[in-house]
Amino acid sequence: MQLKWTALILASGLLMACQNQSNKSNTKPETTKSTTSEVTTENTKTQAPDYEHMVHFAGGSYLIGSETGLPNEKPVHEVTLKAFYIDQSPVTVAAFRKFIESTGYTTEAEKFGDSGVFNFKTQQWELKPGTTWEYPLGPGEAAANDEHPVTHVSWNDAQAYAKWAGKRLPTEAEWEVAARSGKNNGQRFSWGNQLLIGGAYQANVWQGNSIATNTNEDGYQFTSPVGAFGKNEAGLTDMGGNVWNWCEDTYAPYPGNPTPYKRNEQIKVIRGGSFFFDQNGENSYTVSGRSFNSLETSLFNTGFRCAADAPEK
């Protein structure tokens, strides 16, 4: 039986244990549900990966992590990766719709009957009935924009899409290497060392010091079209801000990190931060910033992109 954990409890409890901070960017209201439904991909027909809209990274040794970021980013360590491709941008609403129409897949938010949305009027998270990837703010609100990243998809949903697309989710090491454009140049963000360059925001991020304040100086209250803030050196968009990206990995402290932690296979890594408030502030948008959520959780600020192994020559 899977538990649809309250992400508020999950994020606060686990992050306090691993870094003495709570991460409320990926939280849900205090309601716990359970389901015995299994996510299946029996009706999916695997496609060939669309390498044209992916970016290639060579295999080799790379450094990931940070000694100056949050505690769970330590230590800096070397990883060895095989050559891989990663999607240029997060999966869009339009792309996800093709998957749904092709397979008849039902997302977990649809199975549960609700999904996580922050109510800015009450300043509280809600499991809002009828909220899905098509209506990210709930029924009766505006439909999702085709060019925006799809949201309200769980890790399980993202896995199903990736399988259909002939791809997979990226490991967090692959995600970080891609965010760094395949270099070990020490840049804090995928685009440089500052959120603003020439007075302009380089990503769709939260502008404000509290969850009650957002000046929307970047022009977006919620998600933005993928690529609206340009590409990093490697040609990738939205490698910081807009939506959190699911990664393949089960969350755990890095090797050599002394933080006590009990591994739970249902807790998966998310990367990149989002448009929504995060108590870790700028640290959530960095190339090394890392967080997590339960694999059946779906929220209005979480999406994904896919990766694929590079074909052998």
Side-chain angles (χ1 to χ4, degrees):
M1 181 176 70
Q2 292 180 330
L3 294 179
K4 191 179 184 184
W5 280 302
T6 300
L8 176 59
I9 297 173
L10 173 66
S12 298
L14 293 183
L15 275 178
M16 286 180 69
C18 75
Q19 61 190 49
N20 296 319
Q21 286 185 291
S22 63
N23 183 336
K24 294 183 179 178
S25 67
N26 48 309
T27 60
K28 281 189 179 178
E30 297 186 10
T31 302
T32 301
K33 291 190 175 184
S34 63
T35 178
T36 56
S37 298
E38 294 294 330
V39 176
T40 66
T41 54
E42 294 176 358
N43 297 324
T44 63
K45 183 178 180 181
T46 300
Q47 305 181 87
D50 177 16
Y51 294 116
E52 182 181 352
H53 295 98
M54 303 181 83
V55 175
H56 177 268
F57 288 88
S61 296
Y62 299 92
L63 295 177
I64 67 169
S66 173
E67 298 296 340
T68 59
L70 297 173
N72 73 337
E73 299 173 28
K74 301 177 181 180
V76 172
H77 58 287
E78 186 177 80
V79 294
T80 301
L81 302 177
K82 293 182 179 180
F84 68 96
Y85 282 84
I86 192 167
D87 285 350
Q88 183 182 69
S89 300
V91 173
T92 63
V93 171
F96 197 76
R97 180 178 290 107
K98 290 180 180 179
F99 161 63
I100 297 296
E101 292 176 346
S102 174
T103 65
Y105 182 83
T106 302
T107 64
E108 292 198 299
E110 291 169 303
K111 290 180 179 180
F112 283 121
D114 54 36
S115 194
V117 179
F118 188 79
N119 187 322
F120 287 91
K121 293 181 179 179
T122 64
Q123 291 291 294
Q124 292 181 336
W125 278 96
E126 298 177 351
L127 284 170
K128 196 168 184 179
T131 301
T132 67
W133 64 272
E134 290 185 286
Y135 292 93
L137 299 179
E141 301 293 340
N145 186 304
D146 276 358
E147 302 307 313
H148 287 224
V150 69
T151 57
H152 295 288
V153 288
S154 69
W155 183 88
N156 291 319
D157 298 332
Q159 287 277 22
Y161 175 96
K163 180 179 179 180
W164 169 78
K167 304 177 184 180
R168 57 176 173 78
L169 291 182
T171 66
E172 70 166 323
E174 289 173 337
W175 193 97
E176 182 166 329
V177 167
R180 294 178 182 273
S181 293
K183 299 182 177 181
N184 296 316
N185 56 16
Q187 284 188 172
R188 191 166 180 230
F189 303 105
S190 189
W191 53 85
N193 287 312
Q194 304 294 329
L195 280 179
L196 285 86
I197 297 179
Y201 278 93
Q202 301 302 298
N204 180 2
V205 299
W206 185 266
Q207 294 99 54
N209 296 321
S210 73
I211 201 169
T213 304
N214 183 17
T215 61
N216 292 323
E217 294 172 49
D218 62 8
Y220 297 97
Q221 182 179 5
F222 301 110
T223 58
S224 53
V226 300
F229 291 85
K231 301 176 181 179
N232 69 2
E233 186 178 345
L236 299 170
T237 79
D238 305 275
M239 296 298 285
N242 211 0
V243 292
W244 285 98
N245 286 200
W246 285 114
C247 291
E248 175 67 31
D249 310 63
T250 295
Y251 179 85
Y254 285 145
N257 187 311
T259 305
Y261 182 79
K262 184 177 180 180
R263 185 182 176 90
N264 185 331
E265 293 296 329
Q266 292 188 313
I267 308 303
K268 303 300 182 180
V269 173
I270 53 175
R271 285 294 200 122
S274 78
F275 66 84
F276 187 57
F277 173 78
D278 190 288
Q279 282 197 344
N280 291 327
E282 291 187 1
N283 286 303
S284 67
Y285 311 122
T286 65
V287 294
S288 55
R290 56 198 303 255
S291 192
F292 51 81
N293 221 323
S294 61
L295 52 73
E296 79 285 7
T297 295
S298 57
L299 300 171
F300 81 148
N301 64 333
T302 303
F304 69 103
R305 70 180 72 218
C306 297
D309 298 334
E312 295 184 4
K313 296 182 179 179

